[in-house]
Amino acid sequence: MTDNKTSGNRLGVKGWFAGGRWGMERYIYAIHRLTGLGLLLFLTIHIFESSMRIYGAPVWERTMAFLDHPLFAAGEFLIIIGFAFHAINGLRLVFLELGFGVGKAIEPVYPYRTSVQVQRPLAIAVMILSALLIAAGGIDLFFIRP
Amino acid sequence: MNKTASWFWFIAAGVAVFIIGGLHMAVIHLDGIAGIFNPAGGSSLAWENVSGRNGSLVFAVSYVILLGAALYHGLYGLYNIVSELGISEKANGLLKKALLAAGVALFTVGAYAAFAARFITVS
């Protein structure tokens, strides 16, 4: 949740990519935000593009003919990548929010064992599942699509 | 709405997008592999399939729920990202109003299209 402070976020957007001791979860956090922003931009365009169907078959088919271009196919693949990653990682974040997969609370005894290490298998599972969905989407888009 | 309620609805909307958006992605982007909800077969974007889905009340309602959930989740996410960068209270208030206006406008366009397309198909 956000506290609206006028200071205190020293690194700003740069902090998204300065993983430091947080490791791969910090980069997953950055990718989650970037994919989210990309999907929001796509959603805005998609609302208008998909609304063309209210004008009937001729307009819809002209719109689809315009979008039938390798550049838009590449864009569609980016949407598949973004959605697959954002959705699966979002599910991981919901699990963590509800306290699943974070491990039990332990005494802070040196050498410290962080919760991040307990959460890592879930992060790796996100990567594998996302990769599978992205591969399925890519195969459908570039090799099978009718 | 207070921040706790906003955060709850942000997560609930995310779960709704995961389920309905996931199904939508499977219908549109896995048409070759899954081939679901494409009554005429072939491409999911062929007019016969698009008008077939348009004619379904279940699809129209699911599009509107997905639209509302995706817009709320996306715009509240954007609001959080921008707020975290450390903007003034005044800018924060303006941002909230601008995003709300954008959300209502986009929802109106998308929801109108979902039901208008249904009536065009049915008539």
Side-chain angles (χ1 to χ4, degrees), chain A residues 1-2 4-5 9 16 33 37 40 47-48 51 53-54 57 60-61 76 83 87 97 136 140 144-146, chain B residues 3 7 18 25 28-33 42 45 47 54 67 78 80-81 83-84 86 89 92 113-114 120:
Chain A
M1 217 173 314
T2 311
N4 298 315
K5 297 173 182 171
N9 190 350
W16 295 10
R33 292 190 150 198
L37 291 172
L40 180 60
I47 288 169
F48 292 101
S51 295
R53 67 193 191 281
I54 66 172
W60 177 258
E61 277 159 9
E76 187 180 343
F83 185 85
E97 180 89 8
D140 192 286
I144 301 177
R145 175 160 285 184
Chain B
K3 283 183 179 177
W7 185 251
F18 181 86
M25 291 293 282
I28 304 298
H29 299 283
L30 292 177
D31 49 356
I33 294 174
L45 298 175
W47 175 252
N54 282 349
L67 177 68
L78 177 63
N80 270 343
I81 288 173
S83 291
E84 276 178 24
E89 284 296 325
N92 188 67
I120 285 167

Side-chain angles (χ1 to χ4, degrees), chain B residues 1-73:
Chain B
M1 193 158 35
N2 65 35
K3 283 183 179 177
T4 305
S6 299
W7 185 251
F8 169 81
W9 286 111
F10 175 70
I11 292 176
V15 172
V17 173
F18 181 86
I19 296 167
I20 308 173
L23 184 63
H24 179 67
M25 291 293 282
V27 170
I28 304 298
H29 299 283
L30 292 177
D31 49 356
I33 294 174
I36 48 172
F37 298 118
N38 289 317
S43 170
S44 58
L45 298 175
W47 175 252
E48 294 75 20
N49 289 322
V50 171
S51 61
R53 290 192 296 270
N54 282 349
S56 158
L57 181 63
V58 173
F59 264 93
V61 170
S62 75
Y63 284 150
V64 173
I65 294 171
L66 176 59
L67 177 68
L71 280 172
Y72 179 78
H73 188 80

Side-chain angles (χ1 to χ4, degrees), chain A residues 11-141:
Chain A
L11 289 174
V13 176
K14 279 185 223 162
W16 295 10
F17 304 98
R21 66 192 173 89
W22 296 106
M24 72 182 267
E25 281 76 9
R26 186 67 165 187
Y27 296 104
I28 291 177
Y29 156 88
I31 296 168
H32 192 79
R33 292 190 150 198
L34 289 174
T35 53
L37 291 172
L39 289 169
L40 180 60
L41 178 65
F42 167 73
L43 175 66
T44 307
I45 298 165
H46 186 53
I47 288 169
F48 292 101
E49 160 256 313
S50 63
S51 295
M52 290 296 120
R53 67 193 191 281
I54 66 172
Y55 299 110
V59 172
W60 177 258
E61 277 159 9
R62 270 206 304 277
T63 308
M64 290 302 107
F66 173 75
L67 295 175
D68 188 18
H69 187 279
L71 196 66
F72 288 112
E76 187 180 343
F77 190 50
L78 281 179
I79 297 304
I80 291 169
I81 293 172
F83 185 85
F85 176 81
H86 198 87
I88 302 292
N89 190 53
L91 200 60
R92 177 184 76 97
L93 296 176
V94 171
F95 283 149
L96 298 181
E97 180 89 8
L98 298 175
F100 298 114
V102 291
K104 290 179 181 171
I106 53 171
E107 290 288 327
V109 179
Y110 189 82
Y112 305 120
R113 190 163 181 267
T114 74
S115 174
V116 168
Q117 287 164 331
V118 181
Q119 295 170 29
R120 187 136 302 164
L122 209 52
I124 292 168
V126 165
M127 293 296 177
I128 294 169
L129 262 174
S130 301
L132 288 173
L133 286 174
I134 291 165
I139 290 167
D140 192 286
L141 176 63

